[in-house]
Amino acid sequence: QSVLTQPPSVSAAPGQKVTISCSGSSSNIESNYIFWYQQLPGTAPKPLIENNDKRSSGIPDRFSGSKSGTSATLAITGLQTGDEADYFCGTWDNSLSAWVFGGGTKLTVL
Amino acid sequence: QVTLRESGPALVKPTQTLTLTCTFSGLSLSTSAIFVSWIRQSPGKGLEWLARIDWDDDKYYSTSLKTRLTISKDTSKNQVVLTMTNMDPVDTATYYCARQGYSSGPFDHWGQGTLVMVSS
């Protein structure tokens, strides 16, 4: 099982907003920056959000990140069919001395 | 432009040793302060970090796989190599190499991944 917990799937209609949660603990999310990655079908992950809430290079402002305590949230507004992908959260875990990830959330744009 | 490319066998037998190579272009392992990890993804599953080697040759391993992993670099070839011993069918996955621009930063460049199947 993944160290960080994400919902397996979320869905929303085009133009709507969706949020994806990522839950961890004091040794990972609470103590370190959280990162979000987007994995389009058949491709490698690419960075979306770094350092909790900073958009990576080239990422539109429809994507935003936040963190509170042991949880983090990725929000996507103005959903487009091209946003259909798997989304992963990741961070460093002080207890494991390892980078850890969530199990991924599959976004479906209905 | 920084690119990473993984290479290695597509099929290994149980108990064999897997050797994967990550070849860089667009930056030099000998002159850049970079941090290179191997990350794998089992079919339909999440991401699992395996190991990292830093520009100064510091190395870090997943606690659960530490006894089976060795990471190294060849700066003359601009390559990072991962070996994993005693392969098992549960190790079937796509293996990615990924770069961090600084120690605590995001994995900002990834290879395309290489699928390794473990089967007799």
Side-chain angles (χ1 to χ4, degrees), chain B residues 5-56:
Chain B
R5 185 181 74 253
E6 303 90 348
S7 57
L11 178 66
V12 297
K13 297 183 187 306
T15 75
Q16 286 187 335
T17 294
L18 171 69
T19 299
L20 295 172
T21 301
C22 176
T23 303
F24 280 76
S25 61
L27 62 84
S28 171
L29 287 176
S30 61
T31 60
S32 303
I34 64 170
F35 309 82
V36 180
S37 287
W38 284 94
I39 298 165
R40 71 180 179 180
Q41 184 174 30
S42 301
K45 302 292 185 183
L47 302 170
E48 180 182 16
W49 177 81
L50 302 177
R52 188 178 94 177
I53 188 166
D54 297 351
W55 63 280
D56 58 1

Side-chain angles (χ1 to χ4, degrees), chain A residues 2 33 35 37 39 42-47 49-51 56 86 88 92 96-104, chain B residues 37 39 41 45-49 52 60-63 96 100 102-113:
Chain A
S2 301
Y33 285 130
F35 303 94
Y37 301 88
Q39 185 176 33
T43 69
K46 77 170 190 179
I49 300 290
E50 54 194 85
N51 298 3
S56 299
D86 292 322
F88 295 91
W92 177 258
L96 298 173
S97 292
W99 288 91
V100 294
F101 296 93
Chain B
S37 287
I39 298 165
Q41 184 174 30
K45 302 292 185 183
L47 302 170
E48 180 182 16
W49 177 81
R52 188 178 94 177
Y60 307 87
Y61 295 99
S62 163
T63 303
Y96 296 98
Q100 292 169 277
Y102 55 101
S103 177
S104 59
F107 297 102
D108 58 5
H109 288 84
W110 297 64
Q112 83 283 0

Side-chain angles (χ1 to χ4, degrees), chain A residues 15-16 18 37 39-40 48 53 59-60 63 66 68 78 80-83 89 92:
Chain A
Q16 296 300 303
V18 70
Y37 301 88
Q39 185 176 33
L40 295 168
L48 267 185
D53 56 12
I59 302 302
F63 294 86
S66 63
S68 178
Q80 303 174 0
T81 55
D83 296 332
C89 56
W92 177 258

